[in-house]
Structures are given as structure tokens and as C-alpha cells.
Amino acid sequence: MKKNYTLECCVDSTQSAICAKEGGADRLELCSNLVIGGTTPTMALFRQIRRTVDIRIHVLIRPRFGDFLYSPLEADLICEEISAFRDAGADGVVIGSLLPDGSLDVEQMKRFMERAKGMSVTLHRAFDMCRDPFVALQQARSLGVNTILTSGQSPSCLEGIERMKELVDAAGKDLTILAGAGINAHAVEVLLARTGLTAFHMSGKRVLASGMSYRNPAVSMGLPGLSEYELWQTDPENVRAVRTLLDNAAN
């Protein structure tokens, strides 16, 4: 039976969104600050990309860097952001929160899901930080989550391949397991051969040199170990290589 494969590209700029579409991505996960794992993007960035690129946009709602244990104030902010992006026409949101014991915060998630009515919902990699992924998977299903983004609770999708296989089996047909972390043509080739995965999440990034000719050697604004004179941008060729594999597998 012919399978339908989904390729999602994580982007944090309009140019990366253009490159993702050019490479054959089916949809975008839009964020800001991809270098720190992604945070909620600005509404202006969302609107510019919506005007520029005609594919589905799922918006990451993550108010800060760090863990997924959210205070009441942060949960209120997440709710407001979900509503704002829903009203602005986003196709989906990417959300998640945990309790201190490592379980899914079901009560907070219920609030988020209520705000996301009518949108596709992805449980992000808070799932990979939870204590028991199979309990969390069943809770996500009960909440009405559509997709779980995961690397199988490992640093990369290939390292988590055995767990990924188990999650695909547990998810069944009503919940999509979206493979992330280290997705490239090689990884997808392996995952297609060894798992039943049908959805893949990648940034496809390349590192570009800054256009700054003057660089003050005495001051750094970048994160430790990262230069502000290197820019991350989606490479359409990296995306296209994965798109070609998925199209061939579908035929």
C-alpha cells in the first residue's frame, strides 16, 4: 500500500522558510532562536512568512529557553500566544509541558488544547524529557494531540531507533510519530529501512559567514562557544535530498 510521507522543516527566518519550500518541505515548524532549541517566534515573522511561503505553518510556543516546567504566569502566556497565532491563521501549534516528576502536565496541556481548538497540535520534545514515554503517549492521545516530535528519548534519531520503532507501534494510526534530531538523507534512509516512520522533522541548516567586515575582537555578543559571525540558514539541497528519498519510497 502506498504511504504518504511528511517532511517538516524547522525554521527561524523568512529566508530559511523560502529555502525549505524550495527544497520540498510539506510544512514549517516556525520558531525563533533555533540555536537554543527554539522559542516562540514574533507575530511579525509569522505574518511575513505567511505572506511569502504558501505551505502549512505550525508555530512553536515556548516562552523561554530551558526546561518545560512552566509557572502559572508562563502557562498564561502560552495560552495567549496559542490564541494569537490561531487567530492569525497558523495551521498548528507545537506545545508541551511537564510536572516536576517528569510526567506530562495534563492539566496545563488541557488548557493549551482548549486554546488550540481547530488547529493541528504537536507535542514537542518535552516528550523526550518525560519519565515514561509510553504513558505520555497515551495521555497525549487522550488529550487529542495529533503528532509527537521525538528522537526516541536519545540525543539523535538514529541512537533512539529501537525506541522509535516501539513508539510507532504504540501510536497506531491515530497519532503520528514525527522523527527529529539529526534528520538528514542518511538518517532517513536508515529510518525508512528499519522503522514504520512516515513523518520527519529537520532544520537542514548550513552555517553562513556574517557579512560584517569589521569585527570587534574585544567584545562578543554570542553564546559561549558560538560566534555571532556565523548565521544558521536552511539549505534547500539538504531538504531536497530528504524529499527525494521520501518521494522514491512512496512510489
Side-chain angles (χ1 to χ4, degrees), residues 21 23 39-40 44 54 74 80 107 124 140 151 181 224 243:
K21 171 67 185 301
T39 55
T40 306
D54 61 345
E74 289 172 327
E80 288 190 35
E107 293 308 310
H124 57 45
S151 61
R243 177 82 270 165

Side-chain angles (χ1 to χ4, degrees), residues 50-122:
R50 177 58 92 195
R51 291 192 302 268
T52 307
V53 178
D54 61 345
I55 57 176
R56 291 177 62 85
I57 303 175
H58 290 188
V59 179
L60 175 66
I61 310 295
R62 186 185 180 206
R64 57 165 171 77
F65 170 75
D67 64 31
F68 302 106
L69 176 63
Y70 294 121
S71 71
L73 284 174
E74 289 172 327
D76 289 346
L77 181 59
I78 290 170
C79 287
E80 288 190 35
E81 294 280 23
I82 293 170
S83 293
F85 282 106
R86 183 194 62 202
D87 293 346
D91 300 289
V93 287
V94 184
I95 56 177
S97 64
L98 299 178
L99 292 170
D101 66 0
S103 60
L104 200 63
D105 189 333
V106 174
E107 293 308 310
Q108 278 191 358
M109 286 293 294
K110 285 179 180 177
R111 292 184 62 201
F112 302 163
M113 295 298 295
E114 181 66 26
R115 294 295 185 106
K117 274 189 175 178
M119 307 172 79
S120 178
V121 175
T122 298

Side-chain angles (χ1 to χ4, degrees), residues 16-238:
S16 281
I18 293 169
C19 291
K21 171 67 185 301
E22 181 185 337
D26 296 298
R27 70 172 183 245
L28 306 175
E29 183 199 278
L30 176 61
C31 66
S32 287
N33 302 310
L34 185 55
V35 70
I36 55 171
T39 55
T40 306
T42 65
M43 186 61 70
L45 177 60
F46 168 78
R47 287 175 173 151
Q48 185 178 69
I49 291 175
R50 177 58 92 195
R51 291 192 302 268
T52 307
V53 178
D54 61 345
I55 57 176
R56 291 177 62 85
I57 303 175
H58 290 188
V59 179
L60 175 66
I61 310 295
R62 186 185 180 206
R64 57 165 171 77
F65 170 75
D67 64 31
F68 302 106
L69 176 63
Y70 294 121
S71 71
L73 284 174
E74 289 172 327
D76 289 346
L77 181 59
I78 290 170
C79 287
E80 288 190 35
E81 294 280 23
I82 293 170
S83 293
F85 282 106
R86 183 194 62 202
D87 293 346
D91 300 289
V93 287
V94 184
I95 56 177
S97 64
L98 299 178
L99 292 170
D101 66 0
S103 60
L104 200 63
D105 189 333
V106 174
E107 293 308 310
Q108 278 191 358
M109 286 293 294
K110 285 179 180 177
R111 292 184 62 201
F112 302 163
M113 295 298 295
E114 181 66 26
R115 294 295 185 106
K117 274 189 175 178
M119 307 172 79
S120 178
V121 175
T122 298
L123 171 58
H124 57 45
R125 291 187 68 207
F127 178 83
D128 281 334
M129 308 303 288
C130 71
R131 180 184 298 275
D132 188 326
F134 297 100
V135 170
L137 185 149
Q138 296 304 331
Q139 290 172 325
R141 173 183 280 119
S142 298
L143 288 163
V145 167
N146 305 101
T147 301
I148 296 174
L149 172 61
T150 178
S151 61
Q153 294 200 312
S154 295
S156 74
C157 56
L158 290 184
E159 290 171 277
I161 193 167
E162 295 305 319
R163 175 61 56 83
M164 299 280 276
K165 289 163 64 175
E166 295 172 349
L167 291 169
V168 169
D169 290 341
K173 295 181 179 180
D174 60 340
L175 188 58
T176 299
I177 299 299
L178 175 63
I183 292 293
N184 55 30
H186 167 69
V188 169
E189 197 167 25
V190 174
L191 292 169
L192 287 174
R194 295 180 54 187
T195 75
L197 286 160
T198 60
F200 303 88
H201 168 98
M202 68 184 301
S203 67
K205 72 175 183 295
R206 56 184 168 180
V207 180
L208 304 177
S210 166
M212 289 294 298
S213 56
Y214 173 72
R215 304 183 180 190
N216 187 340
V219 180
S220 174
M221 298 292 178
L223 293 170
L226 294 172
S227 170
E228 62 265 42
Y229 299 112
E230 292 182 349
L231 308 176
W232 287 16
Q233 187 179 102
T234 298
D235 185 341
E237 293 306 316
N238 290 339

